[in-house]
Amino acid sequence: MHSHEIDTERHNHDFLGANHGRNARRVGIAIGLSFFIMIAEIVAGQILGSMALLADGMHMATHVGAFAIAAAAYSFARKYRTHPRFTFGTGKLGDLAAFGSAVVLAFMAVLIAWESAGRFSSPDPVRYDEAIIIAVIGLAANIVTAILLQGEGSGHHHHHGAEGHHHDHNHRAAFLHVVADALTSVLAIAGLAAAKYAGWIWMDPAMGIVGAVIIGRWSIQLMRDSGAVLLDAAVGPALPAAIRERVETEVDRVADIHVWRVGPGHTAAILSLVSADPKKPGEYKARLSDLGELCHVTVEVREAA
């Protein structure tokens, strides 16, 4: 005869990251800074008749949009973090926003590569002095924003081998948008300088291709990391191994285990145990109390045949 026990105590489903509020404030400041630069470049471009300034201002608009998505995700996640409609809280909303931002980054990489490839065969006339000044201004603005957003707000927790387990992917996506723009500015300065002073016209589009490849790789990695969370992919093997080590004994055996991330720094687990001497689920959960990232554990126990 088998006994079947499930832990039925009420759980807290607030699975937001430890630095959720801080990261939200930083993204908000980044929106204001980027919006100010965008407006300044568009207005200056119209007054000075510079298409380069106008183009860079419109480019900044894509980053303002990405930051707005990140800010909206932070706001919605906080507002509805304990709403009963969301079974496991809103901790993964940031990953959804990050995945969307990664798609935008990938699209940007394709556009940069396409435009750069076209300029190899038919290079456009470039006003080098003005273009370099604009690139330097853009780089300076991006450095300030990157310093503001540096770090992922993931805290200094023990990961038990699960790489990326505590990352705030929403904050990471906003940071990557800034770094990608800074990278394109650096490469643009190098390419423009080489074209102007050494006559290497091909360097400008070549740097564009290099930047597109790097940004594309970043976007793919961000898609993988955030997509894995959205699909409830299993965490790395170290945490499940640590759970088994604490739960299994001579009479207790883990028959089935599922461990997945429900928010930055928050992991859920479902254990199915077979025991020759079944105990209450709470006793097994107590053995896992030192694994701080485990915030939602469900234990099922049945007696060994």
Side-chain angles (χ1 to χ4, degrees):
M1 186 174 179
H2 301 284
S3 67
H4 189 230
E5 296 184 354
I6 301 178
D7 188 359
T8 58
E9 66 182 64
R10 293 182 61 85
H11 298 286
N12 174 23
H13 292 164
D14 182 357
F15 300 141
L16 301 186
N19 295 308
H20 184 94
R22 187 196 69 178
N23 290 345
R25 288 190 296 273
R26 291 185 176 185
V27 168
I29 296 173
I31 291 175
L33 179 60
S34 299
F35 184 79
F36 174 78
I37 296 170
M38 177 192 76
I39 295 299
E41 288 186 336
I42 291 175
V43 171
Q46 289 177 332
I47 294 174
L48 301 175
S50 170
M51 284 303 300
L53 270 173
L54 280 172
D56 200 56
M58 296 305 296
H59 176 68
M60 285 298 297
T62 64
H63 294 296
V64 173
F67 293 152
I69 292 173
Y74 279 126
S75 177
F76 186 92
R78 175 173 289 279
K79 182 177 180 180
Y80 294 99
R81 64 187 184 277
T82 58
H83 197 285
R85 180 182 178 186
F86 301 100
T87 304
F88 282 97
T90 55
K92 293 197 291 186
L93 189 61
D95 296 281
L96 179 61
F99 190 89
S101 289
V103 172
V104 174
L105 276 174
F107 183 66
M108 286 173 51
V110 172
L111 287 181
I112 293 171
W114 178 267
E115 179 68 19
S116 298
R119 292 192 180 188
F120 276 113
S121 56
S122 55
D124 294 335
V126 179
R127 297 163 63 179
Y128 292 110
D129 291 335
E130 183 182 77
I132 291 175
I133 291 174
I134 293 169
V136 170
I137 294 173
L139 176 60
N142 285 312
I143 289 175
V144 172
T145 309
I147 291 173
L148 175 67
L149 295 175
Q150 68 179 341
E152 293 215 320
S154 58
H156 302 284
H157 304 286
H158 185 40
H159 286 199
H160 291 285
E163 186 176 354
H165 183 60
H166 296 277
H167 288 173
D168 182 340
H169 288 139
N170 192 28
H171 187 263
R172 177 185 170 196
F175 181 72
L176 281 182
H177 270 277
V178 177
V179 174
D181 205 25
L183 174 67
T184 57
S185 295
V186 170
L187 294 177
I189 293 170
L192 290 168
K196 178 182 179 180
Y197 297 109
W200 298 346
I201 306 298
W202 54 270
M203 274 290 287
D204 185 33
M207 291 297 97
I209 295 292
V210 171
V213 171
I214 295 175
I215 294 171
R217 290 189 62 182
W218 288 344
S219 67
I220 291 173
Q221 187 60 52
L222 182 57
M223 283 185 201
R224 287 176 177 173
D225 293 344
S226 57
V229 177
L230 293 173
L231 293 174
D232 293 332
V235 301
L239 183 55
I243 293 174
R244 287 179 179 274
E245 180 183 352
R246 287 160 175 76
V247 170
E248 290 189 325
T249 65
E250 292 182 358
V251 295
D252 301 315
R253 179 175 60 87
V254 175
D256 192 23
I257 182 172
H258 300 275
V259 184
W260 72 102
R261 176 177 156 172
V262 291
H266 297 286
T267 305
I270 296 178
L271 305 175
S272 179
L273 299 172
V274 177
S275 177
D277 181 20
K279 302 174 181 61
K280 292 183 178 181
E283 295 188 36
Y284 296 102
K285 291 179 67 175
R287 300 177 188 177
L288 305 175
S289 59
D290 65 319
L291 299 178
E293 63 265 49
L294 282 178
C295 58
H296 192 291
V297 180
T298 301
V299 178
E300 176 187 77
V301 187
R302 59 188 175 89
E303 188 175 2

